[in-house]
Amino acid sequence: MSDGLTKAAARNIFFGGSLFFFILFAALTAHSHWYIVNHSTDHAGMTDSVVAGKEVWEEHNCINCHTILGEGAYFGPEMGNVWTRFGGHRSPEGARAAIAGWIRAQPTGAPGRRQMPYFEINDEEMDALIDFLEWTDNIDTQDWPPHPSG
């Protein structure tokens, strides 16, 4: 029996391993794309109002302070589950009023607390923003964030 690998055996292990991991990488990439297309986004629920709400989100640079589904800054709370935190699944109209009231009441002036600036948002933009937050809350995030408060 030989004490070490031959050059041919080492080459075969290298190419065989490379081929195996390339096939594994391609399979996992294909699975990820299939999963994202078929499970994670509610295309039917993406109304014009939801799209307009995302534009309001972007126009006011909300991501500079808040995270949404884990992306963004950590100065303010996570907004991907704000609909649930405000009780939107139990009382949609109550949640809409509470979210709008909270945004319009800013800044609160409470000492020692982080303050959200005041944004000039009309009723139509506010409804669209809340529709966007509701739509975002209904995305299957596979239990993200791990804690309800974000």
Side-chain angles (χ1 to χ4, degrees):
M1 181 168 223
S2 176
D3 290 326
L5 283 175
T6 65
K7 205 175 203 182
R11 184 186 65 234
N12 290 341
I13 290 171
F14 171 76
F15 286 125
S18 296
L19 179 64
F20 171 77
F21 283 108
F22 176 77
I23 291 170
L24 180 64
F25 174 74
L28 290 173
T29 301
H31 178 265
S32 295
H33 285 278
W34 173 83
Y35 187 85
I36 289 169
V37 168
N38 293 309
H39 293 286
S40 63
T41 305
D42 175 21
H43 296 287
M46 189 178 293
T47 63
D48 290 339
S49 181
V50 171
V51 172
K54 184 172 188 304
E55 291 171 0
V56 172
W57 172 269
E58 292 170 348
E59 177 185 335
H60 294 288
N61 296 315
C62 299
I63 204 160
N64 286 350
C65 296
H66 296 278
T67 56
I68 191 157
L69 305 180
E71 293 293 322
Y74 289 94
F75 185 75
E78 164 71 32
M79 299 302 286
N81 63 355
V82 72
W83 183 253
T84 298
R85 290 196 323 260
F86 275 83
H89 298 292
R90 291 186 317 273
S91 173
E93 289 308 313
R96 292 184 83 76
I99 292 169
W102 177 258
I103 292 171
R104 288 199 169 109
Q106 301 303 316
T108 61
R113 292 200 52 167
R114 298 175 182 166
Q115 298 295 307
M116 186 168 123
Y118 175 76
F119 292 106
E120 191 69 43
I121 299 176
N122 63 37
D123 290 341
E124 183 180 325
E125 291 173 329
M126 184 65 74
D127 288 340
L129 179 61
I130 293 170
D131 287 343
F132 171 66
L133 294 173
E134 178 183 3
W135 179 84
T136 304
D137 190 90
N138 291 318
I139 293 173
D140 177 14
T141 59
Q142 301 179 11
D143 298 326
W144 179 263
H147 191 272
S149 65

